[in-house]
Amino acid sequence: MERVRLEDVSERGSSNLAQKDIEGAAGEYPVYGASGYIGSAGFYHQEKAYVAVVKDGAGVGRTMLLPGRSSVIGTLQYIIPEYLYYAVKNMKLARYYTGATIPHIYYKDYKKEVFWLPDLAEQRRVVGILENVGKIIDEQQQELLELDQLIQSRFREMFGDPVKNEKGFPVYKMCDIVEFQGGSQPDKTCFEYEPTEDNIRLIQIRDYKTDKYITYIPKEKARRFCTADDIMIGRYGPPIFQILQGIEGAYNVA
């Protein structure tokens, strides 16, 4: 097993393809964006399976393993070969982002990431194990999706359609009963990655999905605070307008 840099064992690529370029298009080859599959086309950019990295937006740094004979739009950059998916996935690439309003990352910033590269036989063994784990996770996520749909169904049974309001509940304007407060974006240079008595957690949209990228800022830099009971609305996507809850701290503009 040898220790290598990402740039030494990968080939980087990018795409000028935009989502509007495939609107109304038809074909057998899938096209992917930051949120996953978005359509198909009669052409493809990559022959073999490859790793795609989200380079813009709320999901910046997230990785996807995409099939061969497919394409990506400009919100992604890609790396081949496919084995690197599992190595890159654990590099926490999101920490390289720049930009206050819409975060983005560049390959040049993370290409020197170092990791252990085993021989080909060991790579295949590890990938086989991780693929099996991935299948179990996918099955559990499908179960959660079905439970979410069940909750929505029960809600309608109890309260009816919230738009039609056939049960005649009192109706209010949201601005009359809800206080809205936007977030604040501290400079990345003050980010910290270990909790102390002098810092506070900086909440970002991705934190509601994973604890892999927990970030802190000095308390004196914090401007907006929320409790775990406050309802948070995602301003950027994909997907746009996420409804989130359950974390206490300071929150950013997203």
Side-chain angles (χ1 to χ4, degrees):
M1 183 182 296
E2 60 179 328
R3 196 161 174 79
V4 300
R5 292 189 304 188
L6 181 59
E7 64 177 336
D8 296 330
V9 293
S10 66
E11 176 184 343
R12 175 258 183 184
S14 60
S15 172
N16 293 322
L17 188 67
Q19 187 162 352
K20 63 181 178 61
D21 296 331
I22 64 167
E23 291 179 357
E28 60 180 304
Y29 304 113
V31 180
Y32 298 88
S35 60
Y37 173 81
I38 59 172
S40 60
F43 59 86
Y44 60 86
H45 288 157
Q46 284 300 315
E47 176 72 31
K48 297 182 179 180
Y50 56 101
V51 181
V53 180
V54 179
K55 68 175 186 176
D56 297 300
V60 66
R62 185 168 63 88
T63 56
M64 293 180 280
L65 180 59
L66 300 182
R69 297 194 174 186
S70 66
S71 301
V72 299
I73 64 173
T75 54
L76 299 171
Q77 51 201 7
Y78 53 85
I79 303 169
I80 47 183
E82 65 175 304
Y83 167 75
L84 295 179
Y85 169 69
Y86 295 103
V88 175
K89 188 175 182 179
N90 291 288
M91 289 179 181
K92 298 182 179 180
L93 300 185
R95 70 181 188 274
Y96 291 106
Y97 86 81
T98 57
T101 303
I102 300 179
H104 51 268
I105 58 175
Y106 300 98
Y107 177 73
K108 65 180 178 63
D109 296 324
Y110 63 83
K111 68 181 182 179
K112 296 187 183 300
E113 277 280 333
V114 177
F115 63 101
W116 291 104
L117 183 67
D119 59 47
L120 188 58
E122 180 65 7
Q123 289 179 32
R124 289 171 176 164
R125 187 186 74 83
V126 171
V127 168
I129 294 172
L130 295 176
E131 285 180 343
N132 288 333
V133 173
K135 290 177 182 178
I136 294 174
I137 293 174
D138 290 341
E139 292 172 357
Q140 292 179 338
Q141 289 178 334
Q142 180 60 34
E143 291 178 2
L144 291 174
L145 176 60
E146 293 173 357
L147 286 172
D148 185 60
Q149 293 171 343
L150 177 61
I151 291 173
Q152 294 181 42
S153 176
R154 292 293 180 265
F155 178 90
R156 288 179 178 270
E157 287 180 9
M158 296 172 64
F159 303 105
D161 187 308
V163 176
K164 296 179 180 178
N165 192 25
E166 58 268 82
K167 294 183 180 290
F169 289 107
V171 177
Y172 304 91
K173 290 183 179 179
M174 185 174 288
C175 61
D176 292 335
I177 58 174
V178 175
E179 178 185 352
F180 288 94
Q181 181 173 269
S184 175
Q185 189 67 41
D187 191 277
K188 188 180 178 182
T189 57
C190 70
F191 284 8
E192 301 171 1
Y193 300 98
E194 295 294 336
T196 70
E197 293 182 355
D198 299 319
N199 65 23
I200 186 172
R201 182 169 182 178
L202 175 66
I203 303 170
Q204 303 171 75
I205 290 179
R206 66 189 182 194
D207 295 335
Y208 290 94
K209 297 180 179 179
T210 177
D211 286 332
K212 289 183 178 179
Y213 311 109
I214 295 179
T215 303
Y216 303 88
I217 58 172
K219 289 180 179 178
E220 67 268 18
K221 299 289 186 179
R223 299 291 180 268
R224 294 289 186 267
F225 305 91
C226 67
T227 69
D229 294 328
D230 288 330
I231 297 173
M232 314 302 289
I233 301 175
R235 297 177 58 199
Y236 307 116
I240 196 69
F241 208 76
Q242 299 178 68
I243 306 301
L244 309 162
Q245 192 179 43
I247 307 178
E248 180 174 329
Y251 58 97
N252 74 351
V253 294

